[in-house]
Amino acid sequence: MKKKFEHIPPFSLIPQLENREKSLTQLIKIKENSNNANLSGKIRVVRKNKTFQFYLITKKYDKEGTYLPRKKDDFAKALLQQEYDKKILEAGKKELHFLRKLTKFYKNSSLDAANNKFTKSKRIFIEPVQLSNSEYAEKWQNVPYVKKPFYETSSEFYTSKNERVRSKSELIIANALLQNNVPYRYEFPIELKTENGFITVHPDFYCLNINNRKEFCWEHFGMMNNDEYAASATAKLNAYIQNGWIPGKNLIISMEAAGTPLQTKTLRKLISSYFDDVLA
């Protein structure tokens, strides 16, 4: 069961609001500077067989309009585009006004803002309802658990934080996660339900997206050219899926085989896909 460290997570929508504001501002500028002339009237579109006919409406109470011949198609389309652009501009400006007010509120008056105003020295003596990313990451990584033992004959590989792992590929993955500030627990035990009862598995890396507090299992299958290993990996993957750990959602999978080693560019894309908003 996931351990709860805070009453409510930080509100992570602000970057999306700001990105939406930026996109709306650019769109409004483009539409305001468009080359469409100030055309008069509206277009009624009628589907006839496999083609469309255009009718020009210039009077308020005229619902039918005057038929436009084919040579007026470009004019009709320009008028339709102008009508659409006006509606988009009106809606975009309203949305932008609302988003700016909403973003300002969350930056200055929200629960997150009040929480962040307490200094570190004051926070020592209180129980905050939510933690900063660094506070949460520290508590999350310090959860005690029992790791799998290493055999005496096991090769020794140590990450940049001097943590022992089992293979060169795991060393590469661990260092990439550390470099990109992605918190993880190495071989953290989780329970999976199977037809024969519960089993404990130790995913290679149990990772955290610190911004949204979402947890991921990362399994690296390193000998997929070995039939016995591949069959075991397939069974393990099926057990994950049956327990709600879905590839592409909360289960990260990397693979390699003889002649096709783990590639750095593949690793970068995987980390970027799941942790893009926390990368250094």
Side-chain angles (χ1 to χ4, degrees):
M1 183 180 292
K2 182 177 178 179
K3 184 177 177 61
K4 191 171 183 179
F5 300 114
E6 55 192 357
H7 294 280
I8 184 171
F11 190 69
S12 59
L13 193 59
I14 290 178
Q16 297 178 51
L17 291 176
E18 291 177 333
N19 287 335
R20 179 70 172 180
E21 284 183 45
K22 183 178 179 181
S23 297
L24 281 171
T25 301
Q26 292 173 343
L27 175 65
I28 290 169
K29 184 177 180 180
I30 290 172
K31 291 301 181 183
E32 285 181 335
N33 294 331
S34 63
N35 293 322
N36 285 346
N38 189 19
L39 306 175
S40 299
K42 290 186 177 181
I43 295 294
R44 184 170 72 93
V45 181
V46 177
R47 185 181 184 94
K48 190 169 184 178
N49 297 325
K50 295 183 179 181
T51 62
F52 293 93
Q53 293 180 343
F54 300 123
Y55 292 80
L56 175 63
I57 298 174
T58 57
K59 297 179 181 179
K60 185 175 182 181
Y61 299 104
D62 181 10
K63 294 184 178 180
E64 296 297 322
T66 303
Y67 172 74
L68 293 176
R70 286 296 173 201
K71 63 181 180 180
K72 293 287 188 177
D73 277 5
D74 288 344
F75 168 77
K77 292 175 184 178
L79 197 52
L80 284 169
Q81 185 66 49
Q82 178 180 275
E83 180 184 357
Y84 173 79
D85 287 350
K86 285 181 178 179
K87 292 183 181 297
I88 287 296
L89 268 173
E90 181 182 357
K93 288 178 179 179
K94 287 181 178 179
E95 182 180 340
L96 182 60
H97 177 71
F98 173 75
L99 286 179
R100 284 172 173 167
K101 292 178 67 174
L102 186 62
T103 303
K104 183 178 179 180
F105 167 79
Y106 274 107
K107 284 184 175 180
N108 300 322
S109 306
S110 66
L111 183 150
D112 287 23
N115 181 74
N116 294 332
K117 286 177 182 178
F118 258 67
T119 61
K120 288 184 178 180
S121 58
K122 287 184 177 181
R123 290 171 73 87
I124 296 173
F125 304 101
I126 64 169
E127 181 185 347
V129 296
Q130 69 183 37
L131 303 174
S132 67
N133 284 355
S134 59
E135 289 171 334
Y136 191 96
E138 182 179 1
K139 285 182 176 291
W140 188 87
Q141 287 186 298
N142 287 335
V143 168
Y145 66 95
V146 178
K147 297 182 180 181
K148 290 168 59 178
F150 286 91
Y151 299 112
E152 290 184 3
T153 56
S154 298
S155 301
E156 295 190 21
F157 299 93
Y158 290 90
T159 69
S160 58
K161 70 172 185 178
N162 203 34
E163 179 180 36
R164 187 177 180 184
V165 294
R166 299 180 188 277
S167 69
K168 182 179 180 181
S169 293
E170 288 185 352
L171 174 66
I172 295 171
I173 295 171
N175 283 340
L177 291 171
L178 290 170
Q179 182 180 2
N180 289 292
N181 298 321
V182 177
Y184 72 83
R185 302 171 190 156
Y186 181 66
E187 293 188 338
F188 180 76
I190 63 172
E191 270 195 346
L192 300 180
K193 186 179 181 180
T194 68
E195 295 179 354
N196 300 319
F198 287 90
I199 61 171
T200 299
V201 297
H202 297 258
D204 297 320
F205 301 93
Y206 192 72
C207 306
L208 173 70
N209 184 321
I210 189 59
N211 283 341
N212 59 25
R213 309 308 200 231
K214 187 175 179 181
E215 297 173 339
F216 301 83
C217 287
W218 185 324
E219 283 285 7
H220 179 70
F221 299 113
M223 296 187 296
M224 293 304 289
N225 55 297
N226 182 295
D227 291 343
E228 185 177 347
Y229 180 94
S232 176
T234 301
K236 190 175 186 180
L237 178 57
N238 288 335
Y240 271 118
I241 294 172
Q242 291 301 317
N243 283 267
W245 294 97
I246 310 299
K249 181 181 178 183
N250 52 8
L251 176 62
I252 307 170
I253 298 173
S254 54
M255 297 182 181
E256 63 182 319
T260 54
L262 178 65
Q263 296 184 353
T264 303
K265 63 179 180 180
T266 301
L267 188 56
R268 282 200 303 266
K269 287 186 177 181
L270 270 176
I271 294 177
S272 175
S273 176
Y274 291 93
F275 307 101
D276 185 57
D277 55 344
V278 298
L279 296 184

